[in-house]
């Protein structure tokens, strides 16, 4: 009888699907924002598609992801099951904060998604159009407060570029940085700031509920299903797409890196992930390997130039 039970347990174990190593994904921001959503979407897809049996998400907020990346680089070295999400915001924050730890200190795996920025005001605001907001900005730059993500990130860059396009000194903008999307949203809804800036998806439910008024988006052309002009259509020569990526720990062997890349590729090609992209309104900008490394280097150089131009980096 004992042998029968042992044989049954062994047979059951052999019948289980062969999962990759359990993963831990760091979102280097507070809950509620784009990185947190990306990390949790990866978690869901990995588990539902049986790529990994157990995936944990941890939040390490602060300073545009530079606190998280420093912790990740020092504590996860050589661990093939550790992942971290990041993106354009982190590129800017590393430069703005003069972070000693950069993306060269981790193992970039792939760019995952792209999303255009949105500029909103509370529904109760007397600002009805992007033209109204820019008129106030021109009249008194410091009197217009902007709520968004980390200093030097995509949101901050967009405000600087808009100011410059409108003929306003970008160094005079009154930008208030929040460490997470939830905090920024609460400040915008509570009229603690004049206007809010973030990726469209982070505002979508409040826009549809009528609590936020969408003034403009940073796309190159009108977004299907989104009732707002682009900044370009409104007379401001500004186009900006936020992108998000996933990185692995430093110190991996070529084989370990290849295995992580294979798992991430399975995720992005999966039905679960593709459905998530549609639900969230994220563009599929998947890019991996040497092509992503080359694009990342270009983006870092371009971001540094923009940040110098608007006075955030000397």
């Amino acid at each position: 009888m004992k042998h029968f039970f042992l044989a049954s347990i062994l047979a059951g174990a052999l019948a289980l699907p062969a999962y990759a190593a359990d993963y831990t994904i760091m979102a280097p921001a507070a809950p509620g924002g784009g990185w947190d959503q990306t990390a949790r979407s990866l978690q869901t897809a990995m588990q539902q598609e049986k790529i990994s049996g157990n995936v944990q998400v941890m939040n390490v907020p602060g300073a545009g992801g530079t606190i998280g990346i420093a912790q990740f680089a020092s504590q996860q070295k050589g661990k093939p099951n550790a992942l971290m999400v990041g993106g354009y915001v982190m590129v800017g924050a590393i430069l703005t904060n003069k972070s000693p730890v950069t993306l060269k200190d981790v193992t970039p795996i792939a760019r995952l998604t792209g999303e255009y920025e949105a500029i909103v005001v509370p529904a109760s605001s007397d600002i009805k159009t992007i033209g109204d907001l820019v008129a106030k900005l021109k009249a008194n730059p410091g009197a217009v407060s902007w709520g968004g993500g980390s200093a030097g990130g995509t949101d901050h860059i967009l405000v600087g570029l808009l100011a410059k396009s409108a003929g306003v000194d970008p160094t005079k903008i009154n930008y208030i940085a929040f460490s997470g999307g939830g905090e920024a949203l609460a400040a915008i809804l509570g009229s603690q700031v004049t206007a809010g800036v973030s990726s469209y998806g982070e505002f979508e439910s409040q826009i549809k509920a009528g609590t936020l008024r969408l003034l403009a988006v940073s796309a190159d052309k009108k977004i299907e299903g989104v009732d707002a002009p682009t900044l370009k259509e409104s007379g401001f020569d500004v186009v900006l797409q936020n992108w998000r990526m996933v990185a692995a720990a430093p110190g991996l062997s070529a084989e370990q890196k290849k295995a992580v890349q294979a798992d991430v590729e399975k995720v992005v090609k999966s039905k679960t992930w593709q459905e998530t992209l549609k639900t969230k309104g994220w563009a599929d900008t998947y890019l991996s390997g040497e092509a992503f490394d080359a694009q990342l280097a270009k983006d870092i150089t371009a971001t540094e130039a923009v940040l110098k131009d608007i006075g955030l980096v000397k």
Side-chain angles (χ1 to χ4, degrees):
M1 197 67 168
K2 195 184 287 182
H3 291 302
F4 172 76
F5 280 123
L6 284 171
S8 299
I9 291 165
L10 198 60
L14 291 171
L16 290 171
Y19 292 114
D22 291 344
Y23 278 103
T24 300
I25 306 173
M26 177 192 284
W35 288 345
D36 181 62
Q37 289 180 40
T38 303
R40 293 181 194 282
S41 296
L42 281 171
Q43 176 190 39
T44 299
M46 281 183 150
Q47 291 180 162
Q48 287 193 0
E49 299 290 339
K50 297 181 171 54
I51 294 162
S52 181
N54 182 33
V55 182
Q56 299 297 320
V57 172
M58 59 184 289
N59 294 85
V60 181
T66 56
I67 292 172
I69 193 175
Q71 184 178 310
F72 185 78
S74 65
Q75 295 181 6
Q76 304 299 334
K77 190 172 182 179
K79 294 181 182 177
N81 60 337
L83 298 176
M84 179 189 73
V85 297
Y88 192 2
V89 170
M90 185 179 282
V91 171
I94 285 168
L95 293 164
T96 308
N97 292 302
K98 296 178 182 171
S99 173
V101 180
T102 73
L103 288 167
K104 289 179 181 176
D105 297 301
V106 297
T107 306
I109 295 296
R111 186 181 67 193
L112 299 172
T113 63
E115 192 174 14
Y116 290 111
E117 297 275 292
I119 298 174
V120 300
V121 292
S124 58
S125 173
D126 62 346
I127 298 166
K128 306 296 183 187
T129 67
I130 190 68
D132 293 346
L133 181 59
V134 171
K136 282 181 181 280
L137 184 68
K138 284 181 173 180
N140 187 349
V144 176
S145 55
W146 305 79
S150 307
T154 328
D155 306 339
H156 199 166
I157 288 172
L158 182 69
V159 178
L161 291 174
L162 176 59
K164 189 180 177 192
S165 179
V168 175
D169 182 353
T171 63
K172 291 184 177 176
I173 59 174
N174 179 11
Y175 184 83
I176 300 164
F178 294 88
S179 64
E183 290 175 28
L185 183 60
I188 299 159
L189 288 169
S191 299
Q192 293 167 33
V193 291
T194 310
V197 187
S198 190
S199 296
Y200 174 76
E202 292 191 39
F203 292 144
E204 186 177 29
S205 58
Q206 284 76 25
I207 290 165
K208 288 183 174 175
T211 54
L212 288 179
R213 180 180 300 128
L214 177 60
L215 302 182
V217 290
S218 66
D220 52 347
K221 58 186 177 182
K222 205 166 179 68
I223 301 173
E224 190 179 340
V226 176
D227 185 23
T230 65
L231 288 169
K232 212 163 185 178
E233 283 175 330
S234 306
F236 308 103
D237 192 18
V238 178
V239 174
L240 190 68
Q241 187 181 47
N242 185 14
W243 50 263
R244 299 190 185 109
M245 61 170 276
V246 62
L252 300 190
S253 67
E255 291 77 16
Q256 287 172 325
K257 182 181 177 182
K258 197 173 176 183
V260 176
Q261 284 176 323
D263 279 347
V264 170
E265 187 171 354
K266 284 177 200 168
V267 170
V268 299
K269 290 184 175 178
S270 72
K271 186 181 176 185
T272 303
W273 182 256
Q274 291 301 318
E275 285 174 355
T276 299
L277 295 181
K278 287 178 190 172
T279 305
K280 300 278 189 187
W282 295 342
D284 188 345
T285 62
Y286 176 63
L287 192 65
S288 187
E290 290 180 6
F292 176 53
D293 292 340
Q295 185 59 51
L296 184 58
K298 282 183 191 174
D299 287 344
I300 290 168
T301 302
T303 304
E304 187 169 14
V306 170
L307 291 173
K308 281 180 179 176
D309 204 25
I310 62 178
L312 290 173
V313 169
K314 290 182 179 177

